[in-house]
Amino acid sequence: MTSRVLIKDLSALADGPVTVSGWVDTVRDQKKVQFIVLRDESGAAQLVNPALRALPVTDAEAGTVALEGEELAAAEARLATTEAISDLANGSFITVTGQLKQDERVKLGGLEVKIESLTVVTEAIAETPIATDSGLDKRMDWRFLDLRHPKQNLIFKIQTTFLHAMREYWVDNDFIEIQTPKLMASASESRAELFEVEYFEGKAYLAQSPQFYKQMAQSAGFGKIFEVGPAFRADHSFTSRHATEFTSVDTEISWIDSHEDVMNLHEELLVAGFTAVKAKHGDAIKELFDVEITVPSRPFPRIPLAEAKQIVAERGYEIPRADDDMDPEGERQISAYVAEKLGHEFVFITDYASSIRPFYHMRHEGDPSLTNSYDLLFNGTEISTGAQREHRIDVLVAQAEDKGMDPEELGTYLDFFRYGVPPHGGFGMGLARVLMLMLHQASIREVTYLFRGPTRLEP
């Protein structure tokens, strides 16, 4: 392992020898002095080299060098370093050993490293294919270069902190982590958004969600589970919030009374995640994104769908849908209402019509036209769907048939309920959507490590 000091740790060190490694961000090659801004995964620092353009001579015509022995060797090394810096292309990876000097006059971090030796580990092509003003598609083509930018780097530090905070909550509260298969024999959601793949002599489908297997864990007696993993939707959409492959954050719990228990859990997880992000990255987010992270207060507002649609209509917007669902503009309108009237970035829209919900959502007692379900909106966009599940096998079969589904095709799934299962519920949440809205980004492509959409399978 290369012995090096991370740039973020330099400020805590006393003046003296140090070794740093990273990639060249910029080079200022002046006549008498050279400056390198070096970046690594933790930050940036200034390196300085007093330039030596030629060896001193006693006789210019004869080219007689005025130095000898150790002095000559030191001068030759300094000349080689000067020439190497002059030839450096942005993006080259280097290792530098030198003298650290804490100096508050240096704008970049209040320190600099005077170069004693420089090793070019890998050279970069001089002309980079993207610039700061490149369009999003171009940057996606060269994502590995795009991710070197401090702003992009910070996104994935935030993602790590957010997931770690939720994982701590789950583990501290005795949840069991599962990893469900992504190859399935039948659809877990709608066949309209299903990727079909060849599977030896038959066919398989890429999982649209871990829904069936989350519920299996309840029948297995696991009680409380979570999973963070990939999900796939064959959705030919080109919106800022859709992807064909995305990371889904899922959890499911037993022994609930209603979807209210699921919403309470959802709130606790998000508060844990936002609290950790604000504490660790709040200042950096403000500096790079000009966003002030707000930890949401509990309880989050709750508005039944019918009431939400009425509020939206009173604001002058009629939802142009033939079904009972809310459209994206309706979501923005109700979120704006909540922000104006209640000062909250989140809102649960509850009690969705059974006509637009999956067969496994429990329906209201006494009113089967409504379900014990919700969508969670954050800053105007849906980030999650949650519900109490139907655990009674006879009711579940009837609801599947009501949706025009053949119970025979759901045989394995329905078996989970034939041998006893407790009342349960849970949610699935799109990780990229949360990050996009948290950081006020225009597209989930900005916050996805490698985006997949209808026309993008590379890099």
Side-chain angles (χ1 to χ4, degrees):
M1 193 77 174
T2 301
S3 178
R4 66 183 177 118
V5 177
L6 288 176
I7 288 172
K8 72 177 179 65
D9 296 329
L10 291 175
S11 61
L13 300 180
D15 290 0
V18 69
T19 297
V20 291
S21 299
W23 67 90
V24 176
D25 188 71
T26 57
V27 175
R28 284 188 292 139
D29 192 7
Q30 300 174 0
K31 184 176 182 180
K32 294 184 177 181
V33 65
Q34 297 168 306
F35 297 95
I36 300 171
V37 174
L38 183 75
R39 288 195 179 276
D40 67 10
E41 63 269 33
S42 70
Q46 178 173 284
L47 315 180
V48 61
N49 181 58
L52 180 64
R53 300 298 178 178
L55 294 175
V57 294
T58 55
D59 185 335
E61 288 189 12
T64 305
V65 178
L67 303 174
E68 59 184 23
E70 291 184 359
E71 287 185 337
L72 176 59
E76 288 175 336
R78 188 174 156 199
L79 177 62
T81 297
T82 299
E83 292 173 345
I85 293 172
S86 295
D87 291 338
L88 276 179
N90 290 354
S92 298
F93 279 75
I94 63 174
T95 293
V96 167
T97 296
Q99 292 294 319
L100 171 66
K101 181 176 176 56
Q102 306 287 344
D103 187 346
E104 61 183 17
R105 293 173 300 176
V106 179
K107 293 181 180 180
L108 186 59
L111 56 83
E112 66 181 10
V113 176
K114 183 178 179 181
I115 298 171
E116 292 180 341
S117 68
L118 181 150
T119 301
V120 179
V121 180
T122 54
E123 296 182 9
I125 297 173
E127 294 295 326
T128 56
I130 57 172
T132 54
D133 59 350
S134 294
L136 183 55
D137 279 337
K138 184 71 171 179
R139 289 194 290 112
M140 292 298 104
D141 290 340
W142 298 94
R143 185 60 162 162
F144 66 96
L145 295 176
D146 184 49
L147 290 172
R148 291 182 183 177
H149 192 283
K151 194 172 181 180
Q152 304 299 328
N153 180 282
L154 179 60
I155 289 170
F156 296 95
K157 291 179 179 177
I158 293 165
Q159 176 178 285
T160 300
T161 298
F162 183 69
L163 286 174
H164 179 67
M166 291 196 294
R167 188 179 299 278
E168 277 194 317
Y169 175 94
W170 282 316
V171 172
D172 290 347
N173 286 278
D174 299 322
F175 282 68
I176 296 173
E177 182 172 10
I178 62 174
Q179 288 82 36
T180 60
K182 304 310 169 192
L183 286 171
M184 301 181 64
S186 62
S188 57
E189 301 288 344
S190 165
R191 285 190 175 276
E193 297 180 351
L194 199 60
F195 281 113
E196 182 181 294
V197 297
E198 293 183 5
Y199 194 72
F200 302 103
E201 284 75 38
K203 295 178 181 178
Y205 305 94
L206 295 183
Q208 299 157 304
S209 83
Q211 183 58 48
F212 286 3
Y213 301 117
K214 290 192 300 179
Q215 292 188 260
M216 187 190 88
Q218 310 313 302
S219 179
F222 280 25
K224 298 182 289 187
I225 64 94
F226 71 96
E227 177 180 14
V228 179
F232 304 87
R233 299 286 172 97
D235 185 350
H236 204 77
S237 295
F238 294 89
T239 74
S240 62
R241 59 198 181 104
H242 286 94
T244 53
E245 179 182 354
F246 60 95
T247 299
S248 184
V249 178
D250 286 86
T251 195
E252 201 84 8
I253 53 175
S254 288
W255 300 111
I256 68 171
D257 294 323
S258 75
H259 54 312
E260 183 65 36
D261 297 317
V262 182
M263 289 189 281
N264 286 332
L265 168 63
H266 209 155
E267 289 177 353
E268 290 175 357
L269 281 163
L270 285 169
V271 168
F274 274 70
T275 299
V277 167
K278 184 177 180 67
K280 190 166 186 178
H281 307 293
D283 292 343
I285 292 171
K286 180 63 178 175
E287 177 185 351
L288 293 177
F289 291 92
D290 195 25
V291 171
E292 192 76 47
I293 296 297
T294 300
V295 177
S297 59
R298 297 188 63 210
F300 295 5
R302 290 146 165 75
I303 304 175
L305 177 61
E307 182 182 338
K309 293 169 75 172
Q310 182 178 347
I311 292 170
V312 168
E314 290 171 354
R315 290 172 64 87
Y317 180 70
E318 292 292 336
I319 298 172
R321 292 185 66 122
D323 59 17
D324 294 316
D325 206 354
M326 184 87 79
D327 72 343
E329 179 58 28
E331 292 175 352
R332 287 188 285 270
Q333 288 289 335
I334 193 62
S335 294
Y337 168 85
V338 169
E340 293 163 9
K341 301 296 184 182
L342 304 175
H344 214 289
E345 293 181 308
F346 291 87
V347 57
F348 287 113
I349 305 300
T350 65
D351 305 308
Y352 274 73
S354 56
S355 61
I356 56 172
R357 286 310 211 199
F359 74 95
Y360 52 79
H361 281 197
M362 182 175 281
R363 298 179 182 181
H364 276 209
E365 194 71 36
D367 187 358
S369 68
L370 299 177
T371 59
N372 291 0
S373 71
Y374 67 85
D375 276 0
L376 178 57
L377 310 184
F378 175 30
N379 282 337
T381 298
E382 175 207 329
I383 60 170
S384 177
T385 294
Q388 181 177 14
R389 319 303 185 189
E390 180 53 67
H391 61 280
R392 298 162 294 185
I393 182 63
D394 55 333
V395 178
L396 194 60
V397 169
Q399 290 184 179
E401 291 174 338
D402 182 56
K403 291 284 186 180
M405 303 178 75
D406 182 359
E408 291 295 322
E409 292 187 7
L410 299 168
T412 301
Y413 171 71
L414 294 177
D415 283 345
F416 302 159
F417 302 87
R418 300 188 194 280
Y419 298 89
V421 62
H424 60 279
F427 68 82
M429 180 170 69
L431 177 61
R433 287 195 186 185
V434 177
L435 294 171
M436 174 185 74
L437 297 161
M438 177 194 293
L439 301 174
H440 297 193
Q441 294 299 284
S443 170
I444 62 169
R445 290 183 288 175
E446 294 281 13
V447 299
T448 304
Y449 182 65
L450 287 171
F451 173 77
R452 290 293 176 259
T455 59
R456 183 167 290 279
L457 280 173
E458 291 184 320

